[in-house]
Amino acid sequence: ETGVTQSPTHLIKTRGQQVTLRCSSQSGHNTVSWYQQALGQGPQFIFQYYREEENGRGNFPPRFSGLQFPNYSSELNVNALELDDSALYLCASSGSETQYFGPGTRLLVL
Amino acid sequence: DQQVKQNSPSLSVQEGRISILNCDYTNSMFDYFLWYKKYPAEGPTFLISISSIKDKNEDGRFTVFLNKSAKHLSLHIVPSQPGDSAVYFCAASDRESNFGNEKLTFGTGTRLTIIP
């Protein structure tokens, strides 16, 4: 067990809605990264937060946004949901080298 | 543009034998490589990593080999056990250019099945 937790575990939304996913990082880790894993694919980097600032972003549109809080927990917000946003959303925390992943939130957009 | 490739979607190996999972990459800036294992309904679990200054790293039953000239790495599991059945992802990062931003680029995964 990595100590990284995510909520909720599953979520169903309809197209056009907004969603907020949450992640609590492992104790002592100040960096959180978010990934999207579509069915049959590897995880794709969305963005990373380091000490409450965005520290790198992948090829995702601005309707994907995030926050990191002083306790290093993080949120991923997705606006104007599209059907293709259906995926497993993974959060990973790191202190120096290795990223440790949470169990993920499975989002289904109908 | 798939910068990290795992060309074998699946692999079946007899229990006790060696499992070899392969990964190729195209970005010569990648300097750190990791293997993750994923069970259904769980997040990826870190297994082993290797820096580009090495060509081999070993941890118990797991050994990762890196061939920089071929842009190829492999994960060897010996002996293979039924609990090793999972999806294995290869990942890479460019740490020198992106210090502090450990963006990982993943392959599409190989499903390993260990046959008892």
Side-chain angles (χ1 to χ4, degrees):
Chain A
E1 189 162 319
T2 63
V4 180
T5 61
Q6 292 186 243
S7 62
T9 55
H10 296 82
L11 203 50
I12 300 175
K13 291 284 189 178
T14 56
R15 198 169 43 179
Q17 284 189 311
Q18 178 265 342
V19 69
T20 298
L21 310 181
R22 294 178 176 82
C23 170
S24 291
S25 58
Q26 186 171 332
S27 177
H29 287 182
N30 54 20
T31 302
V32 172
S33 305
W34 286 92
Y35 293 81
Q36 180 196 66
Q37 185 181 10
L39 203 60
Q41 301 296 316
Q44 299 280 320
F45 176 75
I46 303 174
F47 43 57
Q48 182 181 88
Y49 279 83
Y50 171 68
R51 294 188 176 182
E52 303 179 59
E53 297 285 332
E54 187 179 290
N55 184 40
R57 188 178 182 93
N59 189 25
F60 281 81
R63 59 190 185 82
F64 285 78
S65 63
L67 279 175
Q68 188 179 30
F69 300 99
N71 66 356
Y72 302 133
S73 65
S74 177
E75 286 183 355
L76 164 64
N77 299 289
V78 187
N79 293 322
L81 283 166
E82 300 178 0
L83 299 179
D84 284 349
D85 295 334
S86 295
L88 179 67
Y89 288 85
L90 295 162
C91 154
S93 77
S94 54
S96 55
E97 295 185 344
T98 305
Q99 293 187 23
Y100 294 92
F101 285 83
T105 294
R106 187 161 297 282
L107 172 65
L108 177 61
V109 182
L110 301 175
Chain B
D1 174 28
Q2 192 73 24
Q3 296 186 64
V4 177
K5 300 178 186 179
Q6 294 176 256
N7 292 319
S8 298
S10 62
L11 175 67
S12 294
V13 174
Q14 206 76 31
E15 181 179 358
R17 307 292 290 267
I18 184 170
S19 295
I20 300 176
L21 296 99
N22 294 302
C23 177
D24 297 294
Y25 62 96
T26 58
N27 187 342
S28 57
M29 299 299 291
F30 287 148
D31 55 12
Y32 189 63
F33 304 89
L34 308 91
W35 284 93
Y36 285 86
K37 167 176 157 178
K38 188 177 184 302
Y39 294 119
E42 295 184 13
T45 302
F46 170 72
L47 272 178
I48 192 168
S49 62
I50 187 167
S51 163
S52 60
I53 62 173
K54 296 185 174 182
D55 55 18
K56 176 182 173 181
N57 189 26
E58 193 170 353
D59 183 1
R61 297 186 298 115
F62 302 93
T63 303
V64 56
F65 295 92
L66 175 62
N67 182 334
K68 282 198 305 182
S69 60
K71 293 191 178 68
H72 177 84
L73 64 154
S74 61
L75 174 68
H76 293 209
I77 306 173
V78 56
S80 301
Q81 299 174 353
D84 296 331
S85 294
V87 177
Y88 289 77
F89 289 99
C90 167
S93 71
D94 172 7
R95 303 180 77 188
E96 184 172 339
S97 300
N98 297 290
F99 184 75
N101 171 12
E102 304 293 340
K103 166 189 170 181
L104 294 178
T105 300
F106 282 84
T108 52
T110 296
R111 181 175 301 278
L112 175 65
T113 302
I114 305 303
I115 305 164

